[in-house]
Amino acid sequence: MNPTAENPLQTRADFERAVEDLVEPLYEHASPGGARVRPMTTGAHFPPVAAELEGFARPLWGLVPLSVHGTSDQWDLVRRGLVNGTDPSHDEYWGEASDYSQKHVEMAAIGLGLALTPDRIWDPLIESEREQLVRWLNQINDADLHDCNWLFFRVMVNMGLRSVGADHDWEGTQSSLDRLESFYQGGGWYTDGPAGDGSPIDYYLPWAMHFYGLVYAAVCGDEDPERARRFRERAAEFATEHVHWFDDEGRALPFGRSLTYRFAQAGFWGALAFADLNPLPWGVLRGLWARNIRWWLNQPIFTDGGLLSVGYRYPTLKTSEVYNSPNSPYWATKAFLPLALEPTHPFWQADEEPLPDRPETVVQPEPRKVICRDDDHLFALSLAQDSIYGAEKYGKFAYSATFGFSMAGQNAGLGEAGRDSTLALSPDGDLYKSPAPESVAATEVDETTLKSLWTPWDDVRVETWLAPALPWHVRVHRLETSRPLHSEEGGFALDRTGDDDPTRFSHETEGATARAAYPNGTSLVADLRADREPEIVPAEPNTNLMHPRTVVPTLRKRYDAGEHWLATVVRARAEGPVDFDRTPELVAAGDDRVAIETADGASVLECTADEISETDGTE
């Protein structure tokens, strides 16, 4: 059941209604005292009380902006829950918040409420209730927090307490802000933690680092003007880069962790407006923001009870993280921050405008990507980034807004471990390794070519080159191994809906080309050296972000010990069946060199042996 199904999501009133419609089904699962929300029984790595606090607090990211100039029927419940959850003598008390507690994350939304809607969340409380709320929130000032975007939760809490004149730690807030600014890499880019310390560039940059910085700039800019200026300038610079991660329909590139937060992807555009910042025309910002929310709310992301599910484009736990409780997806309501603006603000007065003209390829060295647009297909060629969240979310060769990416399944063996857009190797043909970020020894961005060195075992070395050749992309690998190895390389995963009717789909595995065509798309991978076996591999269900059932066109071979060159071309379209032609061509293939040109004779890649080494480091 989609609670927003009848909402056209065009006007401000439509988006106000959307907040209420999204929040109501969740709060129906609130406890009698209002402090805990438990809609389902799946769990996260933190205790249930923290997950139940999530359910109470995360909708506030939408309710608070809505209530700056509007109203909500939920405030009686919220205030009751706020009082009981911070009362140590009440059965629904949220408990103490120790070092690194998830409870600190959820405090931030309460801080936003104190700053923007004190008439809803502070003024109605009696003195004793205020005191217990302040005491509970101030635990964040005595606790150790993860050295990443979590420091902004301390900032949000103290910003709120300061706004209502309550006890707070402003010196500690400034220290946290200084530390957060040390993560800045230049050009508008932050890492989510110390650079070079396993801190990748992913969506935590727009929906956390920039989002909270812009909130701080808007609320505290008068008393901290220099820092506010820096936050605004960096966000404006980043906006001109981040626009390339969105397609004309509102879809964004899926990459990295926490993708179950879904239309939090729109939060950055809304935060720009909240900070009264328009590095792009107001109509373009309004369009980016609205199209992303509309696209998401038209997808099957809801449970039968109208709750936001854990998953991406559909409900599945297989793409989630250990910290995703049933309530986690409601961080998506951060997208509604522009509702805090006056209805007369230029953001709301502007008509939606389409995306500006963009080049077919955009090189972004900071996240190690080349953003590619092939008509209606937006995808990114990508180099691995270090992350504990693994190879699939940070180490694939390509990430597509249309076809998503797949996680490893439960089963070992060929075709069972999320091989789309990656190369996997196995000594035994059973257990495979893909380029996990921690085993990638070096990466380099060389104009539109991405280079990497992967050392899955001490006696195995793989040099890889990635380059766009739109509408195709090209991959070249140079494999050095002292042992026999099995290889498997996949193209884009494809929705296999329609496979109950043989007249509606086709699998072609001729020569060295694997091509799958279904009603919703066509995907192809081909070996330019014509020495690997093609196959269409059914993926384990529910492992792909976009579709629960997919196939992956795949190339396979067993290699003897020695040196080997692999040359691959890949293409996909969201229509099927489509016949692809004008494939890039291999024009040179020797023991120490491979060269590839487009069908028109333009050079795509020239690769030579030992072009990148571990001593080069990672750029």
Side-chain angles (χ1 to χ4, degrees):
M1 184 189 74
N2 181 347
T4 66
E6 304 302 318
N7 191 333
L9 296 167
Q10 297 288 339
T11 67
R12 179 188 172 100
D14 292 339
F15 288 102
E16 290 174 338
R17 179 178 144 212
V19 174
E20 290 280 73
D21 290 343
L22 288 167
V23 166
E24 183 177 2
L26 181 66
Y27 278 157
E28 287 177 0
H29 296 272
S31 56
R36 302 192 182 193
V37 179
R38 188 176 181 84
M40 288 180 283
T41 57
T42 57
H45 73 86
F46 41 76
V49 62
E52 293 161 3
L53 169 59
E54 266 191 340
F56 167 84
R58 293 204 169 188
L60 295 178
W61 290 107
L63 286 177
V64 167
L66 167 67
S67 302
V68 173
H69 299 290
T71 188
S72 169
D73 296 332
Q74 305 296 336
W75 281 110
D76 287 342
L77 170 68
V78 170
R79 282 191 294 271
R80 185 167 75 251
L82 193 65
V83 170
N84 293 330
T86 57
D87 181 358
S89 67
H90 197 277
D91 290 343
E92 296 183 15
Y93 177 53
W94 291 322
E96 302 304 293
S98 57
D99 294 345
Y100 311 112
S101 171
Q102 181 69 22
K103 298 170 188 176
H104 299 303
V105 179
E106 312 317 321
M107 290 180 182
I110 300 171
L112 183 77
L114 290 173
L116 300 188
T117 54
D119 57 320
R120 310 283 184 175
I121 206 169
W122 177 259
D123 296 346
L125 303 184
I126 63 174
E127 187 61 29
S128 61
E129 294 167 342
R130 292 179 180 179
E131 289 175 356
Q132 69 186 28
L133 172 60
V134 171
R135 187 205 69 82
W136 188 80
L137 289 174
N138 263 297
Q139 292 179 97
I140 201 168
N141 293 318
D142 298 321
D144 289 335
L145 304 179
H146 293 295
D147 193 23
C148 61
N149 72 90
W150 274 47
L151 297 175
F152 262 124
F153 304 141
R154 179 178 288 139
V155 175
M156 294 293 102
V157 167
N158 284 287
M159 179 188 74
L161 291 170
R162 187 179 180 87
S163 295
V164 296
D167 182 41
H168 63 283
D169 181 0
W170 203 240
E171 182 178 347
T173 300
Q174 298 304 307
S175 178
S176 292
L177 285 164
D178 290 342
R179 179 60 175 166
L180 286 159
E181 288 202 69
S182 75
F183 305 154
Y184 185 62
Q185 304 300 303
W189 300 90
Y190 287 87
T191 50
D192 183 24
D197 190 30
S199 301
I201 291 176
D202 54 21
Y203 276 102
Y204 278 86
L205 167 54
W207 69 32
M209 302 299 289
H210 279 305
F211 182 93
Y212 301 126
L214 289 168
V215 170
Y216 179 84
V219 175
C220 301
D222 288 345
E223 55 190 307
D224 194 356
E226 282 304 303
R227 197 187 304 273
R229 177 189 59 78
R230 292 194 298 272
F231 282 155
R232 291 172 186 271
E233 289 179 353
R234 293 168 185 171
E237 193 168 6
F238 176 70
T240 62
E241 295 283 348
H242 195 43
V243 67
H244 298 293
W245 288 43
F246 291 77
D247 73 7
D248 294 329
E249 294 184 30
R251 291 173 296 197
L253 288 169
F255 173 76
R257 66 189 178 104
S258 297
L259 295 177
T260 197
Y261 300 152
R262 296 188 174 105
F263 47 97
Q265 291 168 341
F268 172 70
W269 307 116
L272 286 172
F274 180 72
D276 202 28
L277 195 60
N278 65 319
L280 301 170
W282 285 116
V284 172
L285 288 180
R286 173 82 181 270
L288 277 160
W289 176 83
R291 283 191 299 272
N292 183 257
I293 296 175
R294 272 199 299 272
W295 185 84
W296 275 115
L297 293 181
N298 278 317
Q299 306 309 311
I301 60 177
F302 297 96
T303 68
D304 289 344
L307 300 168
L308 287 173
S309 64
V310 175
Y312 192 66
R313 189 188 157 270
Y314 65 97
T316 176
L317 292 178
K318 290 187 177 181
T319 61
S320 66
E321 284 79 30
V322 296
Y323 52 82
N324 289 156
S325 85
N327 294 314
S328 297
Y330 285 86
W331 224 43
T333 59
K334 291 170 71 174
F336 295 105
L337 185 59
L339 293 175
L341 299 170
E342 294 277 357
T344 56
H345 190 276
F347 177 85
W348 290 113
Q349 293 299 306
D351 293 328
E352 290 183 29
E353 295 180 20
L355 289 171
D357 291 336
R358 290 136 292 146
E360 287 187 329
T361 59
V362 174
V363 180
Q364 294 185 336
E366 293 83 359
R368 305 175 199 168
K369 287 178 173 49
V370 178
I371 311 299
C372 304
R373 293 181 184 272
D374 167 24
D375 294 331
D376 61 348
H377 184 199
L378 171 67
F379 65 96
L381 301 181
S382 187
L383 291 171
Q385 295 190 53
D386 193 12
S387 172
I388 62 172
Y389 296 98
E392 296 97 337
K393 294 176 180 179
Y394 291 93
K396 288 186 184 284
F397 298 141
Y399 291 89
S400 167
T402 300
F403 302 101
F405 64 88
S406 303
M407 300 299 298
Q410 295 178 340
N411 301 315
L414 293 170
E416 298 294 347
R419 304 276 200 270
D420 59 295
S421 296
T422 195
L423 173 71
L425 301 175
S426 170
D428 58 7
D430 187 22
L431 297 176
Y432 277 73
K433 281 189 176 183
S434 296
E438 65 272 12
S439 64
V440 175
T443 62
E444 180 183 344
V445 180
D446 182 5
E447 297 183 345
T448 59
T449 299
L450 304 180
K451 306 175 185 179
S452 65
L453 173 62
W454 174 38
T455 54
W457 298 278
D458 290 342
D459 58 346
V460 177
R461 168 191 170 97
V462 183
E463 289 180 89
T464 293
W465 295 258
L466 305 174
L470 295 178
W472 305 82
H473 75 267
V474 175
R475 312 170 191 166
V476 172
H477 314 286
R478 178 174 173 265
L479 169 64
E480 292 181 276
T481 176
S482 64
R483 66 175 93 177
L485 286 176
H486 298 259
S487 74
E488 182 176 354
E489 182 171 8
F492 290 111
L494 183 63
D495 178 16
R496 62 189 293 190
T497 299
D499 62 352
D500 55 342
D501 182 352
T503 67
R504 301 181 67 202
F505 74 95
S506 64
H507 291 179
E508 299 176 9
T509 53
E510 297 180 0
T513 298
R515 173 185 174 275
Y518 285 81
N520 291 331
T522 304
S523 180
L524 179 150
V525 62
D527 180 8
L528 293 182
R529 294 177 64 90
D531 67 350
R532 284 180 283 176
E533 293 295 322
E535 188 168 340
I536 306 299
V537 179
E540 188 170 311
N542 305 312
T543 55
N544 182 265
L545 267 68
M546 304 299 288
H547 302 285
R549 300 174 67 250
T550 59
V551 295
V552 180
T554 301
L555 302 172
R556 292 174 172 166
K557 186 172 180 176
R558 180 186 180 278
Y559 290 97
D560 293 328
E563 298 183 14
H564 309 274
W565 286 91
L566 293 69
T568 311
V569 291
V570 181
R571 187 178 177 187
R573 288 290 300 271
E575 56 183 299
V578 176
D579 291 323
F580 297 144
D581 57 9
R582 302 183 66 74
T583 311
E585 300 172 352
L586 188 68
V587 295
D591 292 338
D592 60 358
R593 178 173 175 265
V594 164
I596 298 173
E597 294 182 352
T598 67
D600 297 326
S603 177
V604 175
L605 270 179
E606 289 203 24
C607 313
T608 57
D610 298 319
E611 197 169 311
I612 184 169
S613 66
E614 291 186 53
T615 56
D616 293 335
T618 297
E619 295 183 2

